[in-house]
Amino acid sequence: MTAVATARVASRAEAFKAALLAFVLGTGLVFVTGFAHPDTIHDAAHDTRHALSFPCH
């Protein structure tokens, strides 16, 4: 394997790790705030989802 090929594999691996982390954090944020019991947190998340045209019902 050449140095360029090794760099591409490492770059793809880093991009995959970053994408996976963003997906996990984003999904967690949506579900944690969506199922939050305190009305204030839920209402703030609910209004934000509607402002971003994200269906939540």
Side-chain angles (χ1 to χ4, degrees):
M1 225 175 179
T2 66
V4 173
T6 303
R8 282 187 190 153
V9 170
S11 177
R12 286 184 184 165
E14 291 298 318
F16 179 74
K17 287 179 189 176
L20 184 61
L21 180 63
F23 176 78
V24 169
L25 290 175
T27 302
L29 180 63
V30 168
F31 283 103
V32 166
T33 57
F35 293 112
H37 290 287
D39 289 335
T40 305
I41 296 171
H42 175 80
D43 290 342
H46 187 255
D47 294 343
T48 302
R49 286 192 297 256
H50 278 294
L52 297 172
S53 300
F54 184 81
C56 60
H57 299 270

